[in-house]
Amino acid sequence: MQYMTLKEKVAQMMQPERMDISPTMVKNLGIGSVLSGGGASSSSGNKPEDWYAYINSVEEAALEARLGIPLLYGIDSVHGDNNVYGATIFPHNIGIGATGDLVLAEEIAEITAEETHAIGANWAFAPCLGNAQNELWGRTYECFSEDADVVAQFGAAYVSGLQNGFGDTSVAACAKHYIGEGYTFMGVNQGNVNMSEEEFAELLESEHLLEPYISAIEAGAVTVMASYNSVDGKKCHGNKWLLTDVLRDQLGFEGLVISDYDGIDQIKVPNGTYKEKVLAALDAGVDMFMEPYDWEDCMDVLIDAVQDGEISIDRINLSVERILKVKFDMGLFEHPLTDPAELEAIGTPEHREVARQAVRESLVLLKNDMATEEQTVMEALRDYTDIAVVGKGANDIGTQCGGWTITWTGMAGHITEGTTVLEGIEQAVGEEKHITYSEDGSELGDAQAAIVVLSEIPYSETGGDRNKGNLIFMSSQRQMIDRLKEQNSDMKIILLLLSGRPITIAEEVKKADAIIAAWLPGSEGQGVADVLFGDYDFTGHLEFTWPWYASDIDDKHTEESVVLFPYGSGLTRSETVELSEKPEQ
Ligand code: GLC
């Protein structure tokens, strides 16, 4: 600290976007961190070696700066090293929570860290510790559960797996987004929690919302990311009560707090100037500024404010100490660079086997009628010899991975390596059964059963926000069910749902003989066939209450609410269940 100039100290507090800074600028300024926002791969390409070459050049530049302070390179490894082509893609957190398997969650995080560290990155912006209450929210799938106590268990396991004793292939974890993101009005992303700070303080207690952060801190989380949402109209990024009084003084967090992408821009300030927003965030407790494209202005604001006596050098020193301590604790001063041999760890068969296990354990069997006097539908399926697989989502790796995959929003198509649901089924039983595939359900009259895949189009953040009228699958997909029944009224209909949340299926429930929530399973779609036809039974359970209609979401946690699938639902292959009567919408 005593060697550092004011400019070098402030440079440590900046996190530009990759596209807005060159290695030379990193070296000349001694920048503290750089990020790749969702999908921001290196300009030379998206293969692991492209990522490694770029990130390594940035880290080496930081080491060549006057003081040679190693740099934190941050990336959204939220379900594997998901930006990178060929990396292992795990189920999104909503599926991991459904497994109930904390040991598996920690193993997934360890592998995620290994495949992230392999490209030279040393900071994963994960785990998300939100506990979504309203599935209209586009980030519901990033949450392990609606229950904060369950989120706390998975979050701690994930932090432990990512940081893994700061061994050679570990990365810094990031407990995010602090705090209250799952309680915004109508589930609006970056929206407002419509209650006073006093009421919110009571909610923190009654809903145990601090538990995930207490557990993450106990697990050693070295970074926390502020949330975009506001409470009572005040943005978390500018809320000193939450970022300092609660997080620091009450919970004892000693790591660094980073703002979210351009998050400080949303802080309401008297004159609306950028300078006021930067100073408000600093005063609230932000240590590092994720200011992807405004970072130079941000530096100028902080340097000028110290030189003009508007802020004390002590406040800057406090943040710089926290940042340097994270780097020391991680061993970055001793091991700042990644061995290129680590690239071999990306997408290995062993890693994919763990992801396949996660897919198996994440499946939740929600409906399973009797096919005969003796067999349930899922038992009878294993004896059928003529089976149809229906729907575009059944054979699309991008769709089954969902958002935050290769690109920020994800997209349909062959976007990376892996196995689709259909390929998994064909590999498992293609020899002994007649498997027919149809994108739209036409010409399948002879099939004894149809596995009908209904899928959400990949999305992320606000792009995934829905209203009470459109939290449904596309009508072109829903029509497939009637098309099949018209061809053969005896055909058993098994709905396989690829969705990032409890989605409205009120009009489909009665038409289905079985319903499976498969969430967003990631690259190893063969995990589905392992349970449908292999040696594994269903073990997953709902971590989210599933109402009949989106209009019931606000009441779904009340005693009198009649929901479609209660929290904790999940059948085995031999079990069946009597569902509640569909209420009038
Ligand atoms: C995004 C997200 C946050 C992510 C960050 C960097 O807007 O809110 O979860 O870590 O920006 O990509």
Side-chain angles (χ1 to χ4, degrees), residues 360-361 363 365 378 382 530-532 534-540 571-575:
R360 289 195 293 266
E361 295 187 21
L363 302 180
L365 180 57
M378 297 316 291
R382 299 159 76 82
D530 288 347
V531 177
L532 297 189
D535 302 332
Y536 299 88
D537 201 342
F538 292 92
T539 57
L571 305 168
T572 62
R573 188 185 346 275
S574 60
E575 292 175 327

Side-chain angles (χ1 to χ4, degrees), residues 466-484:
R466 295 290 177 269
N467 60 50
K468 293 185 177 183
N470 64 6
L471 188 63
I472 52 178
F473 290 110
M474 291 162 63
S475 57
S476 58
Q477 294 189 27
R478 292 183 284 120
Q479 286 160 8
M480 298 190 298
I481 303 169
D482 295 331
R483 189 171 299 134
L484 290 163

